[in-house]
Every structure is written in C-alpha cells, then in structure tokens.
Amino acid sequence: MTFRDPLNIVVLVSGTGTLLQSLIDHQGSAYRIVRVVADKDCPALERAGRAGIEALTVPLEGDRDSWNVRLADTVEAAAPDYVVSAGFMKILGAPFLDRFGARTVNTHPALLPSFPGAHAVRDALAYGVKVTGSTVHFVDAGVDTGPIIAQKPVEVVDGEDEAELHERIKKVERRLIVSVLEGFHRAGASPD
Ligand code: GRF
C-alpha cells in the first residue's frame, strides 16, 4: 500500500475535541488532517472549523449498518491513509471496518485490556488500581480489543475524582496519538 507524504488523516470525533486540537496543532511534515467527521453536533466540529478543516456530521439515523456505510462513504471521499478515532463514542461496525479496519486507530483512556468501554476512567477508579494510562490501538470488531500500538502509564493520585484523573490521562493521550502518527510516517508504515 502506498501512503501520501505527509499522511492524510481523517479524524472521528464526538465530544470536546481536545485530542483533535492536539492533532491539529501538531500537523506538519508527518501528517495533515483532511476531514473531521462527527456523529453529532459537538465542540470538536468548531475546532475543525477554526483550523479551516472540512467538518461533516453523519448522525446515527436509521439502521446501524446503513449508518456505518454512510460513515465509511464520508471517510472514503477524503481518501485518508489512516483514520483516527479521537473521542468518537460510537462502536464502528463491519460495514465500516471491512473498508477501514486495518487503518483505523483509536485512543482509549486506560491500559487495555483493562477497562475497555465508555467508562474506562470511572471503572479504573472504582477497581482501585494505582496505575492506569492511555492506549492507542487498531480498531477491530470488539470493544477496545484491537492490536495495541502504544501505551503510556499514569499513576492514580489518592483522592482525585474521575474528571481530574481523566484530564491527566488526556494530557498523555494528546501526545501519544501524535507520536503514533509520527511513527507511522517515519516507518513509511503499512498496516499490512
Ligand atoms: C478521550 O479520553 C478519549 O480516549 C475518550 O474520550 C476522550 C476524548 O476527549 N474516548 P476529547 O473530546 O478529545 O477532549
């Protein structure tokens, strides 16, 4: 597979978009963001707009398979080398993954395989772990189960709440996802 230089990236978002902001701020010789796609109206779209990046919304309407096809069509139209799920809060299904699974990466706020799912920070605190962290992995059909690319630990501070711990993890995530893309670029990486 041949990749563009810099890599062309589509970013999937659902929320505040601070990870997207880090990706925007670190664009350069390694990668550039060619489109941002959300499943709903969210502040991340405004960040894309401020950066002059095309931003589109594909709301989950109708059945899930047809939404996955519409999402994949919207991504494919931007012809990305890689897709980054950066705070995208929907599970990607087979119609999307058949086309992009081998080159879609997700960032998750825990050290997988511990604490998959939408409440990773809350679950880690509830379990009482002393170390959690951030994982960047390829997306497969499971929930946060795909092959791990990179991880960084974050120590849990006694007495901190979910929001405080999540913010400290997100500081790590913001650097880790950028370094993974820079690594893909350096390696001329092929997901094959
Ligand atoms: C990150 O912790 C990401 O791993 C999780 O949602 C958060 C997104 O934060 N899935 P933001 O919207 O980029 O600020």
Side-chain angles (χ1 to χ4, degrees), residues 13-21 44 47 85-89 106-110 117-118 121 134-135 144 166-167 169-170 173-174:
V13 292
S14 301
T16 58
T18 63
L19 300 182
L20 170 65
Q21 191 64 54
R47 293 179 189 272
S85 159
F88 187 67
M89 299 309 284
N106 178 52
T107 163
H108 182 76
V121 180
S134 162
T135 301
D144 302 320
H166 198 174
E167 182 52 32
I169 293 171
K170 289 211 296 188
E173 289 189 88
R174 290 175 198 133

